[in-house]
Amino acid sequence: MAPSEIGFVGLGNMGMAMARRLPAAGYQVVGYDASAEIMREIAGVDGFTPAPGITGLGTDVVMLCLPDSDVVEHVLLAEGLLDSVPAGGMVIDMSSSDPARTRALAARADEVDVTLIDAPVSGGVSGARAGTLTIMVGGPPEAFDLARPMLAAIGKRVLHAGDTGAGHAVKALNNLMSAAHLIVSSEALIAGRRFGLDPAVMLDIINGSSGRSGSTENKWPNYVLTEKFDAGFSIRLMVKDMRLALGIEHATGTPSLVSEAALAAWEAALGELPGDADHTEIARWLDRG
Ligand code: NAD
């Protein structure tokens, strides 16, 4: 299977930036999103064709970039997308979904001779635009080999994480770490500023020191200090990922004291901010406390 057309469902902040990489690599995108505004937008994008409906993609390969497993299951099962994929075809769930539910969906897909693999991403909207995403794939090795050239059009590092669900598991755990880094580095940087230090100077020091992370190297300088708060990843989706990761920690009997404290803080922020607020707003929210 070497498709020239790829169906792409879910063209929001992340999906649109990812799908826009495909035409440059020679793939035509047949796109679908529940938003009428997005469907109008893609009608004018080179290399994109708007699908007439969720079951009208007509491609052997369908990529999904949807909010969560609830929506992925709804689209595939209730809305009939899975039954519309030709036998021998492939669904690549690039959303950050629940690994256990992904495994169950893959078994359902197998019944209609469709391979479903997971391929969530890390690197944010800016990384998607630049083509520098890390893509972590869960699925059988032969499915990984088939998907790899298509995924390489979207991301820079395409890695086989393990069996079906492995990509979704490592993605959730990655985001738990990222969320914990952002909250603890925000607390430390706010404390430093209140102590009289310049946050830009602190970041310069820390980014060559052992406290550095993606939060100090990217999120604080680019989205917090600039007061742009527009990384393009919502606080609601971050909390969703943290809950998935906590589920894995609990299911495996892993100590989760700090993870739970981090989740409680993020949930408190989510309770006070709009769900679609950018996740970097957590720093401003903390600064109000
Ligand atoms: P988003 O809310 O911007 O986009 C989701 C899109 O799905 C929207 O355009 C929405 O209209 C569409 N949608 C919802 N229900 C639908 C349906 N039934 N049929 C068709 N389309 C439907 O979210 P996002 O930030 O693009 O995130 C998408 C996924 O990618 C999430 O799982 C998220 O956790 C993950 N992710 C996001 C980022 C990021 O930086 N934004 C980074 C890595 C992973």
Side-chain angles (χ1 to χ4, degrees):
M1 181 174 39
S4 57
E5 281 191 336
I6 295 177
F8 205 112
V9 178
L11 295 159
N13 286 334
M14 200 64 185
M16 184 68 99
M18 287 157 54
R20 276 179 180 270
R21 308 274 324 163
L22 291 168
Y27 299 103
Q28 288 289 308
V29 176
V30 183
Y32 182 78
D33 194 283
S35 151
E37 194 186 329
I38 291 175
M39 292 304 280
R40 276 194 297 277
E41 185 187 333
I42 64 169
V45 177
D46 267 359
F48 278 63
T49 309
I54 187 70
T55 57
L57 294 164
T59 58
D60 288 330
V61 174
V62 178
M63 294 180 175
L64 310 177
C65 190
L66 293 163
D68 56 26
S69 285
D70 284 346
V71 180
V72 169
E73 286 173 2
H74 188 78
V75 162
L76 284 172
L77 304 177
E79 295 188 41
L81 173 59
L82 181 59
D83 282 334
S84 77
V85 178
M90 183 182 281
V91 174
I92 306 177
D93 183 11
M94 304 192 75
S95 332
S96 304
S97 307
D98 178 337
R101 292 168 74 175
T102 300
R103 288 195 186 125
L105 268 181
R108 289 282 294 267
D110 193 49
E111 288 167 14
V112 290
D113 195 19
V114 169
T115 303
L116 184 146
I117 64 173
D118 44 309
V121 303
S122 183
V125 173
S126 60
R129 289 196 184 117
T132 56
L133 294 178
T134 292
I135 306 183
M136 45 210 102
V137 184
E142 54 281 9
F144 173 69
D145 288 342
L146 277 174
R148 196 208 303 246
M150 296 177 262
L151 297 174
I154 294 175
K156 191 170 174 190
R157 299 172 76 229
V158 182
L159 304 171
H160 192 203
D163 285 342
T164 310
H168 282 154
V170 70
K171 170 62 189 174
L173 295 166
N174 173 81
N175 274 24
L176 169 64
M177 294 166 72
S178 166
H181 294 163
L182 181 54
I183 204 154
V184 79
S185 50
S186 297
E187 287 176 353
L189 288 159
I190 291 166
R193 179 160 54 197
R194 292 180 184 183
F195 186 75
L197 300 170
D198 178 344
V201 172
M202 278 192 283
L203 284 171
D204 196 26
I205 293 168
I206 289 161
N207 285 335
S209 305
S210 52
R212 71 184 180 279
S213 67
S215 298
T216 60
E217 290 176 334
N218 174 29
K219 294 179 186 182
W220 256 76
N222 293 325
Y223 305 109
V224 180
L225 279 190
T226 58
E227 299 189 359
K228 288 185 180 160
F229 301 103
D230 64 349
F233 182 50
S234 69
I235 190 166
R236 179 196 296 119
L237 291 178
M238 182 64 104
V239 168
K240 171 234 4 174
D241 291 342
M242 295 178 82
R243 287 177 179 150
L244 290 175
L246 256 299
I248 295 170
E249 290 187 350
H250 290 161
T252 52
T254 308
S256 52
L257 204 68
V258 175
S259 307
E260 279 171 27
L263 175 59
W266 277 90
E267 284 178 334
L270 180 59
E272 292 180 20
L273 297 172
D276 61 0
D278 196 79
H279 74 291
T280 57
E281 287 275 7
I282 190 100
R284 183 149 62 179
W285 175 81
L286 280 169
D287 206 8
R288 288 204 295 265

